[in-house]
Structure formats: structure tokens, C-alpha cells
Amino acid sequence: MKRRVFGLVFMLLLAFGAKAQKMNQLSLQFSYNQLELGYQRNLLFHNMWGEAFVGIGNQDINSRFDDFLAGVRVGVSAFSTEKNVVALNAVAGVYIPNNSYYNAAAPLLGGGIRYVRFIGRQNRHSVLISAGYQYGKREYKQEYHSEALQVETIGVFKVAPLYFSVGYGFNF
């Protein structure tokens, strides 16, 4: 227990001592099962940021990029230099699959780590690499009616728990 508290205090000290970016950012991130467009802005402290994102995904049964996702991320820069930033973040959002079989808007929670590498003299462009864990699960009902039979089943929609994405950011 003492090691965990020490580790948490050490990470917080690193986070409050880091030099973070002082710019707003538009980002586009892609992983194998979703595409996100985000807007990031600094929050209360110079090394704390918030991001709102929307996107499309393909995690339901039809395997097309037609699902909708939206949410917010809050992060803290754990380590930064003039060209590199490593941040820890938490995610809260919703994932809504789009198919004709069921409706299951799944709440989404998670956490992760993000690496940002600034490109160019003025740090206008950046490369983003994100990885982490997300949890999203929702039960749904499917019903089938005919003249002779009525069938109702219960299923579970789950979002893929691990994610890895690569993206581009424009800083202004």
C-alpha cells in the first residue's frame, strides 16, 4: 500500500513539474476499429488538458464504419520537453452501434497514455500515439414476432477493451 501511495505522489510531482503545450489542438486519430476527430484545450493548470471528441467506429455485427461515438478526455502531462509530451488521461463517453438488429448505446469509460511529438519550428503540427484500456458494455433485447411464435433474446454488446491509435494534430 505504501508503494502505491509513493508511486502516486511521485507521478503527481512529475505532472505538476512538466512543461506542457500551451496551445489548442485539432486532432484526427485512427485505430483499426474507430476514427476520431477531437478538440483539445488547456484546463485549470498549464499541464492539464481536456478534449472533446466525436467519431465513427465498426465494433458491432455489421463491421462497417457506421457506429457513432462521442466523449471527453481529461489528461495530465506526466513528462514533457520542447518537442515531446507524455500524458496520462481518463475517458468518458458513449458508443452507439448502428444496425437493424438492436439498439445498445453503451457508456464508455477508460484510461490511457498519449505520446505527442511536435513537428516543425513553430510546433504547429504533431504526431499522436495513444494506447489504453476502455470499458463499454450494454445488454439489449432482440424480439421476433410471427403469427405462431414470439421469441425474445437478450444479448450483450461490448466495446473492444484495448485500443491503440495513431493520429495527427494541428496546434493553434
Side-chain angles (χ1 to χ4, degrees), residues 10-56:
F10 181 71
M11 290 300 291
L12 288 173
L13 287 174
L14 278 177
F16 287 116
K19 292 188 303 183
Q21 68 186 43
K22 294 184 169 83
M23 297 182 234
N24 297 330
Q25 182 183 75
L26 284 175
S27 64
L28 182 65
Q29 294 188 65
F30 181 74
S31 68
Y32 72 96
N33 60 3
Q34 63 191 42
L35 178 70
E36 296 177 4
L37 178 64
Y39 173 70
Q40 178 179 319
R41 183 177 174 92
N42 284 347
L43 294 178
L44 303 173
F45 305 107
H46 70 279
N47 60 349
M48 186 176 190
W49 50 268
E51 178 182 25
F53 65 90
V54 295
I56 56 174

Side-chain angles (χ1 to χ4, degrees), residues 11 23 34 49 71-72 75 79 113-114 128 130-131 139 152 155:
M11 290 300 291
M23 297 182 234
Q34 63 191 42
W49 50 268
V72 293
F79 173 77
I113 188 166
R114 177 185 280 183
L128 310 168
S130 298
E139 290 184 356
E152 186 175 292

Side-chain angles (χ1 to χ4, degrees), residues 54-103:
V54 295
I56 56 174
N58 69 344
Q59 295 193 32
D60 63 345
I61 59 176
N62 64 10
S63 298
R64 287 188 302 230
F65 277 92
D66 62 351
D67 305 337
F68 176 76
L69 62 118
V72 293
R73 252 183 220 103
V74 177
V76 176
S77 298
F79 173 77
S80 70
T81 63
E82 201 167 306
K83 292 284 188 182
N84 302 300
V85 176
V86 176
L88 303 173
N89 61 60
V91 180
V94 64
Y95 192 97
I96 304 169
N98 180 21
N99 61 56
S100 59
Y101 298 107
Y102 58 83
N103 282 331

Side-chain angles (χ1 to χ4, degrees), residues 131-150:
Y133 176 81
Q134 60 189 5
Y135 176 78
K137 179 179 165 182
R138 184 66 165 213
E139 290 184 356
Y140 62 87
K141 288 183 181 180
Q142 284 182 309
E143 297 180 8
Y144 173 75
H145 299 283
S146 71
E147 293 178 10
L149 185 65
Q150 177 179 349

